[in-house]
Amino acid sequence: YEAALLRSHLILFLFFLFYLFIFFYFALANVTPYNAPPGMNAAVRATVRVGLYTGAKVFFVHEGYQGLVDGGDNIRPATWESVSMMLQLGGTVIGSARCQDFRTKEGRTKAALNLVKLGITNLCVIGGDGSLTGANQFRTEWSELLASLIKEAKKSSHLNIVGMVGSIDNDFCGTDMTIGTDSALHRIIEIVDAITTTAQSHQRTFILEVMGRHCGYLALVTALACGADWVFIPEMPPDDGWEEHLCRRLTDQRGRGSRLNIIIVAEGAIDRSGKAITCEQIKQLVSTKLGFDTRSTILGHVQRGGTPSAFDRILASRMGVESVMALLEATPDTPACVVSLSGNMAVRLPLMECVQVTKDVTTAMAEGRFEDAVKLRGKSFENNWNTYKMLAHVHPPDVKSNINIAILNVGAPCAGMNAAVRSAVRIGLLQGHQMLAVHDGFDGLAHGMIEPIGWSGVAGWTGKGGSILGTKRSLPHDFMEEISLNISKFNIHALIIIGGFEAFAGGLELVQAREKYEEMCIPLVVIPATVSNNIPGSDFSIGADTALNTITMTCDRIKQSAAGTKRRVFIVETMGGYCGYLATMSGLASGADAAYIYEEPFNIHDLEVNVEHLLEKMKTTVKRGLILRNEKCNANYTTDFIFNLYSEEGKGVFDCRKNVLGHMQQGGTPSPFDRNFGTKMGIKSVLWLTDKLKECYRHGRIFANSPDSACVLGMRKRGLVFQPLAELKEDTDFEHRIPKTEWWLKLRPILKILAKYKIDLDTSEMATMEHIVKRRGLVP
């Protein structure tokens, strides 16, 4: 019987070897032993569709490694339509399971046989470090496993592995963000915001435990996003005697007028001796020693559920595309890699290097090398920790610097502006500066609406939307004389301008005015803050992520309304002026069939192609469509025109509905990303101005007239950089208020491919393999 079985396996194997010369096959395995974070389905959808687009045959492996071992119906062909409803769903549609069998050689041999039967030699695994380590072991043993099955097998002697990291803890070294982390932060911040209102009403202290058994990322970013009084994380335990320090900190905050205290605790928090620090322990300490009304809340598995955020959907889609490209380019000598995010760039890193560094973090914590543990977590984590340290546990110095820095908001309001103002004010006070609040933008600067602002004056601002300082679109050229007089009157030494394109244009006008007004010869920095994300010098603007989430969630609801009626196409108009960022990225996040933008001109033929595409789509099981239109994409092809065109051409096949989202995109509480981004931008701007003022101090006064004394602070690829306004002027289309180069335009082909359009995918800028140890300077 065994001989006959071996012969049948050999014949079956040789049969598939013949076809391997013709087809490129790969399977998608979603493996997460402990959780399935939001955003995984977006990664699955992108991987399947791009794989099918390239001509590959794609398989689902249901129930993770257990399905790989069991085979049979657990490994099924994936189709285009099978992933149509996945994008907005949390968890994972193809299932996930812990698998003890895969830990054994016998189990991995069964898994190898199941792949060989289907001619699969490429595996895409979505999971944490344990899952990805298992995948690498499987790849390493592949030839040995085949040899144990069929001695003659030589043609399929290698298995290509690409990993995507799915974990809400963000505990995998090598990537700034893992799939699911941003969605978990959304769940946490929603709860923290709700708790804050009741805590403030009753003057309570709340202690919240968030997930993170071995990694404090969620706790740390939550603390920054809600302005917590204290955070406990496993990577950096508090010093001995922390109990006294904590009580003193809480008392000081109440003494400054605060009506509440928030303490964030990671579930893996420990003290310097390695003993666990629990919510109950902290509660007993605060209530007994200080007599404060104290409550504790353990958030639990609610952090893993819910709808994925826009960021996670886009991240997962980008990672899915990159993983397919990595598999297509892989050779037998290519090491197993993991697709990661570095700043704003997709990168490929050797899987086992990342796993080793992740293990090194655990080792460093066990040996008490906590500073090393923080550094090993990566730049993103280290920057968050340094930001938290600067804003917490520090008293403003008694010695003042005699420097006055004014802050103003300019242009349309957006979520996250207040977070930037708060952090700028507080870090300025910690530097010994006097911080001045300017109300109503350049109007207020001209009319003397300027007043000092203190530590408690910005309390609770992080989570508030809009602009508390007030903002207007006026530019300074109309009242430059008045502005120069007030700069002199209030002895302003530097300016922080937070806002949209008006802030950028206004900053340029102030620089140009230096030739006429000596008072304008002071350092200034522009912090991009606009839903349109149209500021030259920055890949992202504060407020754009919040607007993107608003659009994406609204589109989810709009699409859901057609679940019963079917055969319906929705035309949705987004904000952005002439900038198509919101339309493009929300189209990617919500699974749109098309997104019309100014930067990519279109004509009546393109509209005809889109209509025909939807007519064909209505013949499938997915009988609904979503079309996004940027508000100024075309003066003639208006939202009404496109609605009427689709209605007429789709008559008898589908009907249309029109939605103009309007100013709801500017409202709402800021997302965790915008709170954190705004906080970092505010701090970095003040520290830069402090150094710049020292450079510009001459003969007892400030004099700054060099181009690099007036900059935009922006995110560029992998980090925050300062770029002179004068240099960015050359990269600006002032007529249409957009940069001449926009990084996100390279993502538009992905949007079209995922919508099943036949186009050429530009792979010229696809990621190449890097090394985590060299990138982080961990070895010579």
Side-chain angles (χ1 to χ4, degrees):
Y1 172 76
E2 290 180 355
L5 183 63
L6 182 62
R7 281 196 301 274
S8 66
H9 283 164
L10 176 60
I11 293 169
L12 188 62
F13 179 70
L14 292 175
F15 174 79
F16 278 101
L17 281 183
F18 171 78
Y19 281 96
L20 280 175
F21 288 103
I22 305 173
F23 297 110
F24 171 80
Y25 285 9
F26 70 91
L28 172 70
N30 178 9
V31 187
T32 47
Y34 303 109
N35 64 76
M40 274 196 164
N41 289 320
V44 171
R45 173 180 175 269
T47 308
V48 167
R49 289 196 166 179
V50 176
L52 294 172
Y53 170 81
T54 60
K57 187 171 183 179
V58 185
F59 290 84
F60 285 138
V61 179
H62 291 262
E63 311 308 334
Y65 285 142
Q66 191 64 57
L68 207 59
V69 172
D70 295 342
D73 289 340
N74 288 306
I75 307 177
R76 308 174 207 163
T79 64
W80 194 276
E81 288 75 20
S82 64
V83 295
S84 295
M85 309 296 289
M86 281 188 175
L87 193 58
Q88 66 268 32
L89 299 177
T92 169
V93 171
I94 62 176
S96 177
R98 301 175 67 176
C99 180
Q100 294 299 324
D101 293 339
F102 196 75
R103 296 175 182 269
T104 67
K105 192 74 169 285
E106 182 183 0
R108 292 192 294 276
T109 302
K110 290 180 181 177
L113 176 60
N114 288 328
L115 292 182
V116 165
K117 285 180 180 179
L118 295 170
I120 297 168
T121 57
N122 298 274
L123 202 61
C124 179
V125 181
I126 313 171
D129 58 342
S131 305
L132 298 179
T133 302
N136 185 71
Q137 183 179 3
F138 191 41
R139 174 188 178 278
T140 304
E141 293 178 349
W142 181 251
S143 297
E144 182 184 343
L145 296 174
L146 288 187
S148 68
L149 285 172
I150 306 167
K151 299 291 185 183
E152 296 85 354
K154 295 180 180 179
K155 299 287 185 179
S156 291
S157 59
H158 69 277
L159 175 70
N160 295 322
I161 293 287
V162 170
M164 287 181 278
V165 191
S167 167
I168 67 165
D169 292 342
N170 201 29
D171 55 354
F172 191 81
C173 293
T175 184
D176 288 348
M177 287 283 275
T178 56
I179 297 170
T181 302
D182 188 68
S183 299
L185 285 170
H186 274 261
R187 302 293 93 75
I188 296 168
I189 293 302
E190 287 169 10
I191 295 168
V192 171
D193 285 349
I195 284 176
T196 297
T197 56
T198 182
Q200 199 159 25
S201 301
H202 298 279
Q203 298 190 59
R204 284 177 175 154
T205 295
F206 263 91
I207 305 159
L208 291 94
E209 181 186 292
V210 301
M211 284 187 169
R213 188 171 303 168
H214 305 293
C215 178
Y217 184 88
L218 288 178
L220 182 54
V221 175
T222 298
L224 286 173
C226 71
D229 299 298
W230 197 287
V231 64
F232 292 92
I233 60 172
E235 290 87 350
M236 187 57 71
D239 294 328
D240 294 336
W242 61 267
E243 294 90 346
E244 291 291 333
H245 192 178
L246 172 62
C247 291
R248 187 167 61 251
R249 170 71 174 169
L250 299 183
T251 303
D252 288 347
Q253 286 295 90
R254 292 295 177 98
R256 291 192 179 107
S258 176
R259 292 177 57 85
L260 78 159
N261 300 114
I262 299 291
I263 300 170
I264 307 296
V265 185
E267 63 175 323
I270 55 174
D271 61 18
R272 290 277 166 170
S273 63
K275 184 180 177 182
I277 297 176
T278 65
C279 282
E280 189 59 32
Q281 176 187 352
I282 301 168
K283 178 183 176 182
Q284 290 297 325
L285 170 69
V286 175
S287 58
T288 302
K289 191 156 187 175
L290 299 179
F292 290 173
D293 188 4
T294 308
R295 300 287 189 274
S296 63
T297 301
I298 298 175
L299 301 190
H301 283 74
V302 68
Q303 299 161 81
R304 287 180 176 158
T307 302
S309 66
F311 181 95
D312 269 335
R313 298 185 197 193
I314 295 167
L315 173 65
S317 298
R318 291 179 67 184
M319 298 301 102
V321 172
E322 190 61 46
S323 67
V324 174
M325 295 299 107
L327 286 172
L328 287 170
E329 297 167 12
T331 68
D333 298 324
T334 304
C337 77
V338 60
V339 179
S340 303
L341 183 72
S342 177
N344 188 32
M345 297 181 66
V347 298
R348 301 176 194 172
L349 298 170
L351 172 59
M352 294 317 294
E353 280 189 17
C354 297
V355 171
Q356 184 57 53
V357 175
T358 303
K359 290 179 179 177
D360 290 344
V361 175
T362 305
T363 302
M365 289 192 290
E367 295 175 355
R369 296 183 288 109
F370 301 114
E371 292 288 348
D372 290 342
V374 170
K375 289 180 179 178
L376 287 166
R377 281 289 180 212
K379 279 292 181 186
S380 177
F381 190 96
E382 187 178 6
N383 289 340
N384 284 324
W385 175 248
N386 290 335
T387 300
Y388 169 74
K389 283 197 301 182
M390 279 189 278
L391 290 174
H393 313 296
V394 183
H395 290 281
D398 295 326
V399 179
K400 303 302 179 183
S401 66
N402 295 320
I403 288 174
N404 301 324
I405 299 178
I407 306 176
L408 62 155
N409 292 340
V410 178
C414 68
M417 274 184 164
N418 297 320
V421 173
R422 171 187 174 271
S423 64
V425 167
R426 290 196 167 178
I427 201 67
L429 294 173
L430 293 174
Q431 296 292 311
H433 309 327
Q434 182 180 36
M435 304 304 292
L436 301 173
V438 181
H439 298 275
D440 293 343
F442 289 121
D443 274 27
L445 189 58
H447 298 121
M449 300 169 65
I450 305 168
E451 62 180 0
I453 187 167
W455 189 277
S456 59
V458 292
W461 282 30
T462 306
K464 293 182 179 177
S467 168
I468 297 175
L469 288 182
T471 180
K472 289 187 177 180
R473 294 181 180 271
S474 307
L475 292 176
H477 62 261
D478 291 330
F479 25 68
M480 202 66 75
E481 183 78 31
E482 292 87 344
I483 288 176
S484 65
L485 290 173
N486 279 321
I487 287 176
S488 177
K489 177 182 176 181
F490 289 91
N491 199 23
I492 296 172
H493 300 111
L495 281 175
I496 298 175
I497 308 170
I498 305 171
F501 198 85
E502 291 85 358
F504 174 78
L508 273 172
E509 290 182 7
L510 293 179
V511 171
Q512 291 163 0
R514 286 175 172 179
E515 298 177 2
K516 184 177 180 181
Y517 301 98
E518 192 174 319
E519 294 84 357
M520 301 296 184
C521 294
I522 58 174
L524 67 89
V525 60
V526 174
I527 298 179
T530 169
V531 301
S532 301
N533 196 33
N534 62 337
I535 308 302
S538 187
D539 293 346
F540 295 109
S541 296
I542 297 168
D545 184 70
T546 303
L548 197 54
N549 276 283
T550 300
I551 298 168
T552 302
M553 300 311 164
T554 304
C555 286
D556 285 350
R557 293 186 175 94
I558 288 172
K559 289 198 300 181
Q560 191 179 45
S561 70
T565 56
K566 301 186 184 299
R567 296 186 178 278
R568 182 163 288 175
V569 174
F570 295 95
I571 316 294
V572 178
E573 180 182 295
T574 67
M575 278 184 164
Y578 287 98
C579 181
Y581 175 83
L582 287 180
T584 297
M585 302 304 272
S586 58
L588 196 56
S590 58
D593 295 283
Y596 301 122
I597 63 171
Y598 168 79
E599 292 92 341
E600 192 174 275
F602 58 97
N603 53 36
I604 194 66
H605 173 69
D606 297 316
L607 294 172
E608 181 184 5
V609 169
N610 296 146
V611 171
E612 290 174 353
H613 172 80
L614 285 170
L615 290 171
E616 288 299 313
K617 187 177 181 180
M618 294 301 160
K619 297 176 183 178
T620 69
T621 56
V622 185
K623 302 183 185 300
R624 65 185 181 189
L626 176 65
I627 304 295
L628 297 178
R629 178 189 177 275
N630 170 243
E631 60 182 341
K632 291 187 178 180
C633 65
N634 191 292
N636 297 310
Y637 298 139
T638 62
T639 302
D640 287 333
F641 176 91
I642 293 175
F643 168 72
N644 291 332
L645 176 68
Y646 274 71
S647 298
E648 181 63 28
E649 297 300 320
K651 193 176 292 183
V653 180
F654 59 79
D655 60 358
C656 289
R657 295 291 186 272
K658 177 180 62 176
N659 297 268
V660 179
L661 302 186
H663 283 76
M664 66 182 294
Q665 297 161 83
Q666 288 182 349
T669 57
S671 67
F673 179 91
D674 278 332
R675 299 184 194 199
N676 194 14
F677 191 42
T679 298
K680 289 179 180 176
M681 297 278 268
I683 289 176
K684 200 167 184 71
S685 65
V686 173
L687 295 178
W688 180 83
L689 285 174
T690 302
D691 291 338
K692 190 60 65 175
L693 284 165
K694 293 176 183 176
E695 293 177 17
C696 301
Y697 187 77
R698 300 171 190 169
H699 309 296
R701 67 189 185 95
I702 304 296
F703 186 80
N705 64 348
S706 61
D708 65 352
S709 64
C711 290
V712 170
L713 171 58
M715 166 70 79
R716 281 294 204 191
K717 293 185 177 180
R718 299 193 180 187
L720 294 174
V721 294
F722 290 90
Q723 298 156 95
L725 283 161
E727 292 180 9
L728 293 172
K729 185 178 179 180
E730 301 303 317
D731 187 41
T732 306
D733 177 353
F734 284 94
E735 180 185 354
H736 300 102
R737 296 159 56 94
I738 56 174
K740 291 179 181 177
T741 55
E742 294 171 301
W743 69 272
W744 49 267
L745 287 172
K746 292 183 173 62
L747 300 182
R748 284 189 62 80
I750 298 175
L751 170 65
K752 295 176 183 178
I753 289 171
L754 295 180
K756 209 175 183 180
Y757 287 94
K758 288 294 181 182
I759 64 164
D760 293 328
L761 180 61
D762 180 12
T763 60
S764 61
E765 292 196 19
M766 287 295 170
T768 56
M769 187 77 82
E770 299 183 7
H771 292 277
I772 183 172
V773 291
K774 290 182 180 178
R775 183 156 63 86
R776 294 190 177 173
L778 300 178
V779 295

PDB file of all heavy atoms in Angstrom, residues 526-539:
ATOM      1  N   VAL A 526       6.886  76.712   9.197  1.00  0.00           N
ATOM      2  CA  VAL A 526       5.512  76.388   8.779  1.00  0.00           C
ATOM      3  C   VAL A 526       5.274  74.905   9.035  1.00  0.00           C
ATOM      4  O   VAL A 526       6.044  74.051   8.569  1.00  0.00           O
ATOM      5  CB  VAL A 526       5.287  76.709   7.286  1.00  0.00           C
ATOM      6  CG1 VAL A 526       3.906  76.241   6.844  1.00  0.00           C
ATOM      7  CG2 VAL A 526       5.455  78.198   7.033  1.00  0.00           C
ATOM      8  N   ILE A 527       4.222  74.594   9.785  1.00  0.00           N
ATOM      9  CA  ILE A 527       3.825  73.207  10.036  1.00  0.00           C
ATOM     10  C   ILE A 527       2.592  72.909   9.186  1.00  0.00           C
ATOM     11  O   ILE A 527       1.534  73.517   9.391  1.00  0.00           O
ATOM     12  CB  ILE A 527       3.513  72.969  11.525  1.00  0.00           C
ATOM     13  CG1 ILE A 527       4.753  73.224  12.375  1.00  0.00           C
ATOM     14  CG2 ILE A 527       2.976  71.566  11.745  1.00  0.00           C
ATOM     15  CD1 ILE A 527       4.514  73.042  13.871  1.00  0.00           C
ATOM     16  N   PRO A 528       2.673  71.989   8.211  1.00  0.00           N
ATOM     17  CA  PRO A 528       1.529  71.689   7.338  1.00  0.00           C
ATOM     18  C   PRO A 528       0.361  71.095   8.118  1.00  0.00           C
ATOM     19  O   PRO A 528       0.520  70.091   8.814  1.00  0.00           O
ATOM     20  CB  PRO A 528       2.090  70.678   6.339  1.00  0.00           C
ATOM     21  CG  PRO A 528       3.575  70.849   6.397  1.00  0.00           C
ATOM     22  CD  PRO A 528       3.876  71.235   7.805  1.00  0.00           C
ATOM     23  N   ALA A 529      -0.796  71.726   8.005  1.00  0.00           N
ATOM     24  CA  ALA A 529      -2.004  71.241   8.674  1.00  0.00           C
ATOM     25  C   ALA A 529      -3.201  71.563   7.797  1.00  0.00           C
ATOM     26  O   ALA A 529      -3.692  72.686   7.798  1.00  0.00           O
ATOM     27  CB  ALA A 529      -2.154  71.874  10.060  1.00  0.00           C
ATOM     28  N   THR A 530      -3.653  70.590   7.031  1.00  0.00           N
ATOM     29  CA  THR A 530      -4.785  70.767   6.132  1.00  0.00           C
ATOM     30  C   THR A 530      -5.298  69.414   5.685  1.00  0.00           C
ATOM     31  O   THR A 530      -4.504  68.478   5.478  1.00  0.00           O
ATOM     32  CB  THR A 530      -4.401  71.595   4.891  1.00  0.00           C
ATOM     33  OG1 THR A 530      -5.445  71.527   3.918  1.00  0.00           O
ATOM     34  CG2 THR A 530      -3.115  71.090   4.245  1.00  0.00           C
ATOM     35  N   VAL A 531      -6.608  69.286   5.518  1.00  0.00           N
ATOM     36  CA  VAL A 531      -7.165  68.022   5.043  1.00  0.00           C
ATOM     37  C   VAL A 531      -6.751  67.737   3.612  1.00  0.00           C
ATOM     38  O   VAL A 531      -6.735  66.586   3.173  1.00  0.00           O
ATOM     39  CB  VAL A 531      -8.705  68.005   5.158  1.00  0.00           C
ATOM     40  CG1 VAL A 531      -9.146  68.223   6.594  1.00  0.00           C
ATOM     41  CG2 VAL A 531      -9.361  69.021   4.232  1.00  0.00           C
ATOM     42  N   SER A 532      -6.400  68.786   2.861  1.00  0.00           N
ATOM     43  CA  SER A 532      -6.086  68.619   1.441  1.00  0.00           C
ATOM     44  C   SER A 532      -4.733  67.959   1.195  1.00  0.00           C
ATOM     45  O   SER A 532      -4.502  67.410   0.123  1.00  0.00           O
ATOM     46  CB  SER A 532      -6.117  69.980   0.736  1.00  0.00           C
ATOM     47  OG  SER A 532      -7.376  70.590   0.860  1.00  0.00           O
ATOM     48  N   ASN A 533      -3.836  68.015   2.163  1.00  0.00           N
ATOM     49  CA  ASN A 533      -2.485  67.461   2.031  1.00  0.00           C
ATOM     50  C   ASN A 533      -1.796  67.991   0.770  1.00  0.00           C
ATOM     51  O   ASN A 533      -1.255  67.240  -0.033  1.00  0.00           O
ATOM     52  CB  ASN A 533      -2.528  65.930   1.993  1.00  0.00           C
ATOM     53  CG  ASN A 533      -1.157  65.313   2.248  1.00  0.00           C
ATOM     54  OD1 ASN A 533      -0.348  65.857   2.994  1.00  0.00           O
ATOM     55  ND2 ASN A 533      -0.885  64.188   1.616  1.00  0.00           N
ATOM     56  N   ASN A 534      -1.816  69.314   0.612  1.00  0.00           N
ATOM     57  CA  ASN A 534      -1.293  69.934  -0.609  1.00  0.00           C
ATOM     58  C   ASN A 534      -0.137  70.900  -0.353  1.00  0.00           C
ATOM     59  O   ASN A 534       0.089  71.814  -1.134  1.00  0.00           O
ATOM     60  CB  ASN A 534      -2.419  70.690  -1.325  1.00  0.00           C
ATOM     61  CG  ASN A 534      -2.991  71.829  -0.485  1.00  0.00           C
ATOM     62  OD1 ASN A 534      -2.892  71.824   0.745  1.00  0.00           O
ATOM     63  ND2 ASN A 534      -3.595  72.804  -1.138  1.00  0.00           N
ATOM     64  N   ILE A 535       0.602  70.702   0.754  1.00  0.00           N
ATOM     65  CA  ILE A 535       1.696  71.614   1.096  1.00  0.00           C
ATOM     66  C   ILE A 535       3.009  71.103   0.526  1.00  0.00           C
ATOM     67  O   ILE A 535       3.410  69.965   0.800  1.00  0.00           O
ATOM     68  CB  ILE A 535       1.824  71.770   2.622  1.00  0.00           C
ATOM     69  CG1 ILE A 535       0.473  72.133   3.246  1.00  0.00           C
ATOM     70  CG2 ILE A 535       2.868  72.835   2.966  1.00  0.00           C
ATOM     71  CD1 ILE A 535      -0.135  73.384   2.700  1.00  0.00           C
ATOM     72  N   PRO A 536       3.702  71.897  -0.281  1.00  0.00           N
ATOM     73  CA  PRO A 536       5.025  71.484  -0.778  1.00  0.00           C
ATOM     74  C   PRO A 536       5.969  71.232   0.399  1.00  0.00           C
ATOM     75  O   PRO A 536       5.954  71.941   1.395  1.00  0.00           O
ATOM     76  CB  PRO A 536       5.481  72.697  -1.600  1.00  0.00           C
ATOM     77  CG  PRO A 536       4.222  73.407  -1.975  1.00  0.00           C
ATOM     78  CD  PRO A 536       3.296  73.215  -0.809  1.00  0.00           C
ATOM     79  N   GLY A 537       6.785  70.198   0.260  1.00  0.00           N
ATOM     80  CA  GLY A 537       7.770  69.916   1.295  1.00  0.00           C
ATOM     81  C   GLY A 537       7.362  68.869   2.297  1.00  0.00           C
ATOM     82  O   GLY A 537       8.135  68.544   3.201  1.00  0.00           O
ATOM     83  N   SER A 538       6.149  68.308   2.166  1.00  0.00           N
ATOM     84  CA  SER A 538       5.719  67.300   3.129  1.00  0.00           C
ATOM     85  C   SER A 538       4.831  66.263   2.457  1.00  0.00           C
ATOM     86  O   SER A 538       3.909  66.606   1.713  1.00  0.00           O
ATOM     87  CB  SER A 538       4.964  67.946   4.293  1.00  0.00           C
ATOM     88  OG  SER A 538       4.693  66.987   5.301  1.00  0.00           O
ATOM     89  N   ASP A 539       5.120  64.989   2.726  1.00  0.00           N
ATOM     90  CA  ASP A 539       4.284  63.908   2.195  1.00  0.00           C
ATOM     91  C   ASP A 539       2.935  63.854   2.897  1.00  0.00           C
ATOM     92  O   ASP A 539       1.953  63.393   2.312  1.00  0.00           O
ATOM     93  CB  ASP A 539       4.995  62.567   2.374  1.00  0.00           C
ATOM     94  CG  ASP A 539       6.248  62.448   1.519  1.00  0.00           C
ATOM     95  OD1 ASP A 539       6.415  63.284   0.614  1.00  0.00           O
ATOM     96  OD2 ASP A 539       7.064  61.530   1.757  1.00  0.00           O
TER      97      ASP A 539
END
